[in-house]
Amino acid sequence: MSARETILKTITANKPSLTELPAIDLVEVIQYNDLLQQYKTVLQSIGGGTVELQDINSLKEELQTKKANGDFVLNRIASLGDVEESIAHLTAPDLAAVDTAYVEGTIAVAENGAIWLYESQMGNRLLPFICQHLVIVIEKKNIVATMHHAYQQIESAKDGFGVFLAGPSKTADIEQSLVIGAHGARSLIVYII
Amino acid sequence: MSKSSLSHAEAAEQFIKDEPRTDWHDETLWFVRQKRDKAAHGLPEWEQLREWASQIKNHTLSNLDNYLLEFEANANANGVTIHWAPDAADHNRIIFDLIQKNNIQKIVKSKSMLTEECGLNEFLHAKGVETIDTDLGERIVQLRYEAPSHIVLPAIHLKKQDVSDTFHEHLNTEKGNNDPQYLTEAARQHLREKFIESELAITGVNFAVAETGGFVVCTNEGNADMGAHAAKIHIACMGFEKMIPKAEHLSVFLRLLARSATGQPITTYSSHFNKPREGQEMHIVIVDNGRSRQLGRADFRNSLKCIRCAACFNTCPVYRRSGGYSYHTAVAGPIGSILNPNIDMRANADLPFASTLCGSCSNVCPVKIDIHDQLWKWRQVLVEEGYVDASKKVGLKGMAFVLARPGLYRFAGKAGRAVMRLFPWLLNNKLNPWYKQREMPAPPKQSFRDWYIKNKQQ
């Protein structure tokens, strides 16, 4: 018998009798009066920054200024101007010097500050992790209360990769002292339109 | 790595010799436990979430063979290769074969307690293959030739000056600079190089989703992603109990995991791996290593629901004051004490006794594992199977004999109180293990029974 068959047969022989899956009723789940305020408060508490924008022009200008200063920026958001389309093939050495990446988010979660990013939005899986600074743009109407609501609205296996990203990279592995900027982005600013 | 051959009590005795450090360890983990409470109390549905998580895991275990088949079929369709490892040796061999076949030199690994359980680093080292651990805490202990002492906080037994000394020696940081910010930045630069040049990345798996064939890996640092997205081969290692039925169930577990572990509302990155990127190879090693045997033990199968949050470590009065190494296994703490006797009953027979059975572990467990009940049940199994010291057995038998005879019990109580009053040195000496590190209490003048009879009559 192969290893696979042995393991599966033992599990079949040893598993308990079938029990039911629970029904997850969202009536039981926390609600927030002001999703935007809740989202901002939580994201700030985990080290992220938030900026509310009436329109995207000021962010467009910021991006242009960075480019003009010679910063290595990668833009993945069409409404901010030219999009770097074919970056999927770029490797770690290519992306290691990226200063700021601009990525559009799908859904933001008020209870924990997380934002869902599809691989198609990143353009390259490594980008939101290897960049020094990350900027994400979300629409206010796409803020939901909890993870239950978020999974109803995304298709987590649609792309080859996807991530719930909440705040900048961090660690507390040295004497429980919180340090922002472990291996991933050193900062996260979320622009809410 | 420094896996101790001492028993829990012997190793704990070493740990508590440094009293200020023991106090720091105790207080720091209690602080993490308090952060967990704050996060849990922030959600009115917390108890309902635990119940859902528990039921989802119970259901999954009751249909596990079918979910594993569904997962395998979907992962294969996604272009992922599945490997099955009956034990630790097979797990290590499968990974070594992939390394050899692809002529790999540079390997990075993010946190995976399964690879610790299987002794992967030591195995590869003996074959001449070096693996770089990339979680900051794990890198610190790796540079010190130590093992993680906690599954979520691997270097919690160390102080910043220890880290500073280690980094000065290996990463050329300034001697005596103990600033965590400075030390973390040094590790960031050091490990960025490793990520960028790595050819193969090994990660763990937090949840594997049968419905999609995908899996989720959670980190705060981003090290699993930096490794997996940079390397041309990604190997993810999982015990088969990581399975859950559907993607929507991730919502329940991701809400519980980080809140239970550190009090955060969610980890910074909850990465959903479905398919290899273009030109990349993705492998999943599904490991048994005793889990199917545990599934067959009705009293203990519940332990397979564990999501490795370590809430039971942080709350445990024994773990906090004895340290991770006293458990001499990859997964320490209360949950380790009910998992490890299954893997090796003789070597881990001491662990179920390293508990006060206070039940705090069961109360904080996000998937409602009856940890303290299982600790108690393991004690009985271990005594029955003959894995307990003769002296402990005689003591327990003697106690059982006395407790079963109320007259004798009352006499022994009276005699004991008299002895403690008249001849305190009989107990307050080195031969009595209960006298170590503590004073014996002043003996009461009367038993509760005597007091009750007297006061009832008044």
Side-chain angles (χ1 to χ4, degrees):
Chain A
M1 237 184 337
S2 71
R4 175 180 178 275
E5 284 166 17
T6 311
I7 294 171
L8 287 169
K9 278 216 164 109
T10 317
I11 292 174
T12 308
N14 286 354
K15 68 180 181 178
S17 47
L18 191 66
T19 61
E20 289 298 307
L21 267 176
I24 293 165
D25 187 349
L26 295 195
V27 173
E28 308 262 3
V29 167
I30 195 166
Q31 290 181 20
Y32 301 105
N33 294 328
D34 186 342
L35 287 174
L36 175 65
Q37 192 48 50
Q38 171 68 21
Y39 182 79
K40 284 165 61 179
T41 307
V42 174
L43 186 65
Q44 282 159 18
S45 77
I46 56 176
T50 55
V51 180
E52 276 181 80
L53 285 182
Q54 293 308 317
D55 68 78
I56 205 154
N57 280 331
S58 59
L59 187 57
K60 229 171 164 171
E61 279 163 30
E62 184 203 292
L63 175 62
Q64 291 311 324
T65 315
K66 281 200 173 170
K67 274 190 175 171
N69 288 345
D71 291 349
F72 186 178
V73 295
L74 274 181
N75 174 38
R76 293 286 308 159
I77 305 172
S79 54
L80 288 182
D82 294 342
V83 170
E84 320 285 344
E85 284 297 350
S86 49
I87 60 167
H89 66 282
L90 294 184
T91 61
D94 300 329
L95 293 169
V98 173
D99 181 71
T100 309
Y102 293 80
V103 181
E104 195 164 2
T106 305
I107 290 286
V109 187
E111 68 161 321
N112 58 23
I115 292 179
W116 176 259
L117 301 176
Y118 282 111
E119 184 174 7
S120 51
Q121 293 173 310
M122 308 169 204
N124 184 308
R125 291 180 189 191
L126 197 50
L127 183 62
F129 304 95
I130 201 168
C131 62
Q132 297 291 332
H133 303 280
L134 180 62
V135 172
I136 300 180
V137 175
I138 57 160
E139 289 183 50
K140 191 179 155 188
K141 66 174 169 53
N142 292 332
I143 303 176
V144 297
T146 72
M147 293 297 280
H148 306 291
H149 302 89
Y151 275 101
Q152 284 179 346
Q153 299 209 22
I154 62 167
E155 214 183 306
S156 68
K158 190 182 83 178
D159 286 0
F161 177 74
V163 64
F164 274 109
L165 188 153
S169 157
K170 58 177 160 291
T171 183
D173 274 347
I174 300 175
E175 249 190 45
Q176 281 293 290
S177 308
L178 180 68
V179 177
I180 303 286
H183 302 303
R186 295 176 190 273
S187 74
L188 168 71
I189 307 285
V190 175
Y191 286 87
I192 304 164
I193 298 178
Chain B
M1 302 263 164
S2 57
K3 291 268 166 57
S4 158
S5 57
L6 301 175
S7 73
H8 180 272
E10 289 162 342
E13 200 170 347
Q14 298 299 317
F15 181 80
I16 58 175
K17 274 186 181 156
D18 187 340
E19 207 172 312
R21 197 172 273 228
T22 308
D23 289 345
W24 183 85
H25 190 266
D26 176 22
E27 285 158 16
T28 304
L29 289 165
W30 185 248
F31 181 63
V32 178
R33 152 77 208 257
Q34 287 174 317
K35 288 199 290 186
R36 171 259 173 218
D37 289 349
K38 210 177 148 208
H41 298 157
L43 291 180
E45 69 268 34
W46 183 256
E47 289 306 315
Q48 180 65 64
L49 269 179
R50 289 177 73 216
E51 185 57 34
W52 283 337
S54 172
Q55 287 180 22
I56 294 167
K57 283 284 184 181
N58 282 336
H59 164 80
T60 311
L61 290 177
S62 77
N63 194 32
L64 189 58
D65 44 355
N66 294 319
Y67 283 130
L68 282 164
L69 286 168
E70 186 185 349
F71 177 74
E72 182 188 42
N74 288 325
N76 283 336
N78 288 339
V80 179
T81 309
I82 302 282
H83 307 261
W84 299 81
D87 59 29
D90 287 300
H91 164 268
N92 295 345
R93 184 190 45 75
I94 288 165
I95 293 171
F96 182 61
D97 286 351
L98 285 168
I99 291 168
Q100 275 205 313
K101 197 180 121 197
N102 294 283
N103 193 22
I104 300 292
Q105 309 293 328
K106 312 269 187 192
I107 302 171
V108 291
K109 180 161 78 70
S110 69
K111 208 193 283 166
S112 152
M113 283 308 122
L114 178 65
T115 62
E116 296 290 335
E117 175 187 321
C118 295
L120 179 67
N121 281 9
E122 295 89 328
F123 170 84
L124 291 179
H125 179 75
K127 299 271 185 194
V129 180
E130 288 313 314
T131 314
I132 306 288
D133 282 327
T134 58
D135 172 83
L136 176 59
E138 283 210 320
R139 187 63 184 142
I140 293 167
V141 296
Q142 186 179 41
L143 289 172
R144 299 169 60 90
Y145 307 100
E146 292 174 354
S149 74
H150 184 291
I151 60 174
V152 172
L153 320 165
I156 195 66
H157 60 293
L158 297 173
K159 301 282 284 176
K160 56 190 176 189
Q161 54 269 31
D162 303 323
V163 179
S164 175
D165 291 345
T166 304
F167 280 13
H168 173 65
E169 187 185 337
H170 296 276
L171 308 183
N172 290 319
T173 55
E174 244 169 66
K175 193 168 175 57
N177 190 335
N178 297 346
D179 178 17
Q181 181 92 41
Y182 168 75
L183 296 170
T184 302
E185 181 63 28
R188 177 182 170 101
Q189 299 305 335
H190 159 66
L191 287 167
R192 273 212 157 211
E193 256 173 56
K194 304 293 178 193
F195 287 127
I196 288 168
E197 65 187 24
S198 79
E199 302 162 306
L200 185 146
I202 299 169
T203 70
V205 169
N206 288 93
F207 307 100
V209 185
E211 173 189 52
T212 65
F215 59 93
V216 174
V217 181
C218 303
T219 74
N220 280 321
E221 298 181 6
N223 57 313
D225 290 278
M226 287 290 282
H229 305 320
K232 62 183 181 189
I233 301 174
H234 175 189
I235 305 175
C237 304
M238 58 176 270
F240 63 52
E241 80 281 14
K242 297 289 173 182
M243 197 61 49
I244 59 171
K246 291 170 186 293
E248 68 182 67
H249 297 136
L250 287 167
S251 60
V252 174
F253 293 103
L254 291 180
R255 296 188 80 196
L256 287 165
L257 178 62
R259 287 184 173 99
S260 298
T262 60
Q264 293 171 255
I266 190 168
T267 51
T268 306
Y269 307 106
S270 308
S271 298
H272 296 50
F273 293 87
N274 301 310
K275 296 174 185 170
R277 65 174 196 276
E278 218 185 299
Q280 188 194 32
E281 264 181 48
M282 199 179 273
H283 300 264
I284 300 173
V285 187
I286 301 177
V287 181
D288 183 338
N289 203 31
R291 287 164 174 77
S292 58
R293 183 173 57 238
Q294 188 88 325
L295 188 64
R297 300 188 210 263
D299 281 344
F300 304 116
R301 65 164 62 103
N302 216 323
S303 61
L304 296 172
K305 290 154 70 179
C306 175
I307 58 172
R308 302 293 192 267
C309 70
C312 62
F313 289 49
N314 305 338
T315 199
C316 178
V318 175
Y319 176 86
R320 282 187 277 117
R321 293 178 186 83
S322 62
Y325 292 151
S326 62
Y327 293 78
H328 54 79
T329 49
V331 179
I335 184 68
S337 298
I338 60 174
L339 290 171
N340 292 307
N342 172 58
I343 294 174
D344 186 337
M345 228 184 263
R346 182 178 298 278
N348 300 318
D350 55 329
L351 297 182
F353 295 91
S355 165
T356 63
L357 301 185
C358 71
S360 184
C361 46
S362 306
N363 288 331
V364 297
C365 178
V367 290
K368 292 194 165 184
I369 301 171
D370 51 341
I371 303 174
H372 73 293
D373 285 337
Q374 292 194 35
L375 286 164
W376 176 70
K377 286 174 184 164
W378 266 120
R379 292 181 184 187
Q380 295 167 62
V381 171
L382 291 163
V383 170
E384 206 142 280
E385 302 272 335
Y387 290 114
V388 169
D389 279 1
S391 62
K392 188 168 260 171
K393 216 166 159 176
V394 168
L396 289 173
K397 279 208 167 132
M399 197 159 99
F401 183 84
V402 174
L403 290 177
R405 290 162 180 80
L408 180 59
Y409 172 76
R410 284 196 288 278
F411 169 75
K414 208 170 248 174
R417 285 190 296 279
V419 166
M420 277 178 84
R421 235 179 357 257
L422 300 172
F423 313 106
W425 46 268
L426 266 178
L427 289 169
N428 297 351
N429 66 57
K430 281 187 191 159
L431 294 173
N432 173 17
W434 288 99
Y435 184 62
K436 282 185 198 170
Q437 294 99 27
R438 61 170 88 73
E439 295 294 326
M440 296 304 285
K445 289 212 175 62
Q446 55 184 180
S447 70
F448 172 75
R449 187 174 181 274
D450 296 341
W451 175 90
Y452 181 75
I453 290 168
K454 192 176 151 205
N455 284 278
K456 199 178 157 195
Q457 281 163 353
Q458 277 174 359

